[in-house]
Amino acid sequence: MTDWMTVAEVGGSLAAIGGAAYARHAHPAAYWSAVGLPASVVRLLASYSSTMDACGLTVEPPRWRAVAVKATTRREIRPVPPRRGLIRLTATGLRMRLRLAPGQEPADIAASAERLRHAWGVHAVYVRDVKPGVVELRLVGFDVLRDVRMPRRARGGLLRVPVALREDATAFVRDYRALPHELVLGATLSGKSMYLRNLIAGLATQPVVLVGIDCKRGVELSPFADRFSALAVDQQQAADLLPVLVAEMEDRYDLIKARQGIAPSTPDELITSDIWGLPDEDRPPPIVLFIDEVAELFLVASRKDEDRRDEMVTQLIRLAQLGRAAGIHLEVCGQRFGAELGKGATMLRAQLTGRVCHRVNDEASAKMALGDIAPEAAWAACSIPSERPGLAVAGDTSGGWSRIRTPNLSLTHAAAATCRAAADFAPEVPALSPFRPHAPTGAPVATSGPMASPQPVTE
Ligand SMILES: Nc1ncnc2c1ncn2[C@@H]1O[C@H](COP(=O)(O)OP(=O)(O)O)[C@@H](O)[C@H]1O
Ligand SMILES: [Mg+2]
């Protein structure tokens, strides 16, 4: 009888452990909410002071406090940890603010992030500067980049698309007003087109003109043809389209200039140097030009093509240099983007402020994208595993960088559901109408493998 009891007990415990391990792997978010979160909160509350002490993050208390403690309680005076704010629970982890003690800087806390993560049993700990003297600790309970779900609260706006998830579970927002042009690099099958697809789906419902150049005969961008105002699928079409865009940009500059010259008495706030200062009814719609596989634009087979290529490169450089004020933005995608592409390549690259680097085959490619942002960012890009397509390193304006991953958005969902439904959102730009693509009829291109559309979760 006792033997049977023992077997039943052991079996029951093993089943519970197995079930927990399965739940942790298969449903990390649910496991975190039910098991991980309470356990981590208890650990954090119970061990906050001792952990901070062990990490060297405590300081001597102020003298008045030491005197007061000694006078009233006669207790030993112990170093104090940074003051902790309320713990806020989220669907992916928890957050709390710390007030830095005098003499501490955010880098001190960040240097101990790895130790804190082990002490409190969480997947990762990130430190964010909130304001002078205050940092926010973000504890992430599980690997949020394994199965990307965008936070529901990640709201975009005009020309702001929450396109991917950062490893600290915040949304990575592609903001065209802040970073007018961007370079997206990565080896083949690293997830570049998925990044573009997410961006296109995000912009589709906004009053933004989408223009594409896809020299892979349009295989990547044609499924979105319903929503595109212009699409070039080979070098010749691109060579025809680019001068039209440059002319459109010049027209917009004339418009801004006309506005500036209304009268010498025009109040200062009505003088503008970009389209955003124009009144709503006069403002031309912003244009985003997507270029997939940019190297195809640069490659030439014969001497005859060389002039055409040089012209295109010059036009692209002009668009990158002057486009922002005219509301024209570039999103350039390629496998490599170095001097070997030819004249003008590095000059164009220097104009593309935003940088996203997916998995690359060699360090030189990573340096092309991120070398001028931070050397560690380039190393991080080199260590992206091939079994995680879509994972990338994004550099930000401040010289900081973060790991991001796009949600797995199926082509059917992006093309059919979003772009077809949003076809009417495309603003009219008469100059581009000769380039309007014929939308492919029938079912959208089938996708390989099972794909789920991204589902927002509450944060
Ligand atoms: N974020 C992601 N999550 C899951 N799978 C992805 C993700 N991004 C890309 N993939 C998969 O990786 C493969 C290659 O992606 P793709 O965007 O076509 O790469 P590239 O354009 O760099 O060659 C596709 O089959 C796609 O389904
Ligand atoms: Mg591609």
Side-chain angles (χ1 to χ4, degrees):
M1 183 68 186
T2 42
D3 281 358
W4 278 113
M5 291 276 287
T6 317
V7 169
E9 273 167 18
V10 170
S13 332
L14 284 180
I17 293 170
Y22 169 78
R24 188 172 194 172
H25 182 78
H27 305 286
Y31 179 85
W32 166 251
S33 304
V35 183
L37 184 66
S40 291
V41 170
V42 170
R43 267 172 152 175
L44 199 160
L45 290 175
S47 70
Y48 179 72
S49 297
S50 56
T51 307
M52 285 289 169
D53 198 18
C55 293
L57 293 173
T58 47
V59 293
E60 288 301 320
R63 188 164 307 161
W64 64 265
R65 198 157 145 195
V67 172
V69 168
K70 208 161 199 175
T72 52
T73 63
R74 302 194 160 273
R75 271 210 323 250
E76 184 196 348
I77 294 147
R78 303 175 57 110
V80 288
R83 226 179 50 232
R84 176 170 65 72
L86 282 182
I87 297 179
R88 289 161 200 241
L89 311 183
T90 68
T92 51
L94 42 96
R95 279 182 288 167
M96 66 179 176
R97 289 190 174 190
L98 300 186
R99 176 163 287 284
L100 296 176
Q104 286 184 333
E105 59 164 334
D108 296 336
I109 314 269
S112 295
E114 192 63 16
R115 277 166 253 173
L116 296 177
R117 128 180 151 77
H118 288 292
W120 295 330
V122 289
H123 178 73
V125 173
Y126 300 97
V127 180
R128 192 171 68 91
D129 216 351
V130 179
K131 57 184 177 187
V134 180
V135 293
E136 185 181 65
L137 276 194
R138 273 184 163 266
L139 280 60
V140 181
F142 54 96
D143 184 4
V144 289
L145 298 187
R146 193 159 67 100
D147 180 17
V148 176
R149 312 248 153 164
M150 293 300 284
R152 197 188 302 239
R153 273 195 279 157
R155 295 225 187 291
L158 181 61
L159 289 176
R160 282 172 55 83
V161 183
V163 64
L165 192 68
R166 284 202 177 93
E167 58 188 337
D168 66 357
T170 55
F172 172 77
V173 179
R174 172 77 184 96
D175 184 349
Y176 285 91
R177 300 279 300 273
L179 296 177
H181 315 297
E182 185 173 66
L183 173 63
V184 182
L185 274 199
T188 186
L189 286 183
S190 63
K192 302 180 298 294
S193 301
M194 182 70 82
Y195 182 86
L196 283 198
R197 190 184 296 175
N198 274 282
L199 266 183
I200 294 169
L203 287 172
T205 50
Q206 303 185 7
V208 175
V209 180
L210 303 185
V211 177
I213 296 180
D214 176 5
C215 289
K216 270 162 74 183
R217 302 226 141 256
V219 290
E220 296 286 1
L221 298 183
S222 300
F224 314 111
D226 283 307
R227 178 60 182 78
F228 269 74
S229 301
L231 186 59
V233 297
D234 58 32
Q235 272 198 2
Q236 185 53 51
Q237 290 181 8
D240 296 337
L241 172 63
L242 284 172
V244 175
L245 280 174
V246 173
E248 173 71 20
M249 178 177 77
E250 286 166 350
D251 288 350
R252 291 179 174 203
Y253 271 101
D254 289 343
L255 184 74
I256 298 167
K257 198 157 156 242
R259 179 86 200 167
Q260 285 174 337
I262 292 174
S265 59
T266 313
D268 279 357
E269 60 274 19
L270 290 186
I271 298 180
T272 176
S273 60
D274 61 26
I275 60 160
W276 303 106
L278 297 173
D280 288 354
E281 61 280 9
D282 292 349
R283 186 184 311 129
I287 299 177
V288 180
L289 169 60
F290 291 94
I291 305 178
D292 203 353
E293 298 296 357
V294 67
E296 286 294 317
L297 271 188
F298 282 84
L299 294 179
V300 283
S302 63
R303 281 215 152 262
K304 189 169 75 37
D305 294 339
E306 236 165 68
D307 293 341
R308 184 174 70 180
R309 188 207 75 149
D310 287 350
E311 254 172 61
M312 279 198 287
V313 174
T314 314
Q315 282 151 352
L316 278 176
I317 292 175
R318 290 197 64 203
L319 285 174
Q321 274 180 172
L322 307 173
R324 186 207 62 84
I328 298 180
H329 304 278
L330 305 185
E331 192 72 43
V332 179
C333 233
Q335 303 193 20
R336 286 173 68 86
F337 204 131
E340 76 277 8
L341 280 188
K343 211 169 79 190
T346 45
M347 189 164 170
L348 176 57
R349 191 182 68 193
Q351 296 291 338
L352 307 173
T353 346
R355 300 294 171 89
V356 171
C357 183
H358 291 79
R359 178 178 55 77
V360 284
N361 293 329
D362 56 348
E363 203 182 331
S365 306
K367 283 196 174 143
M368 284 171 199
L370 300 166
D372 26 358
I373 289 175
E376 313 89 78
W379 296 327
C382 290
S383 59
I384 295 174
S386 57
E387 61 275 13
R388 279 228 168 158
L391 191 64
V393 174
D396 32 86
T397 32
S398 56
W401 56 275
S402 48
R403 276 190 201 83
I404 60 168
R405 194 177 190 201
T406 43
N408 192 353
L409 181 65
S410 80
L411 193 52
T412 329
H413 189 276
T418 313
C419 285
R420 206 150 294 172
D424 295 339
F425 279 84
E428 274 301 311
V429 179
L432 294 177
S433 47
F435 299 93
R436 189 152 196 147
H438 282 291
T441 47
V445 184
T447 51
S448 59
M451 289 199 182
S453 50
Q455 303 220 326
V457 291
T458 34
E459 205 193 358

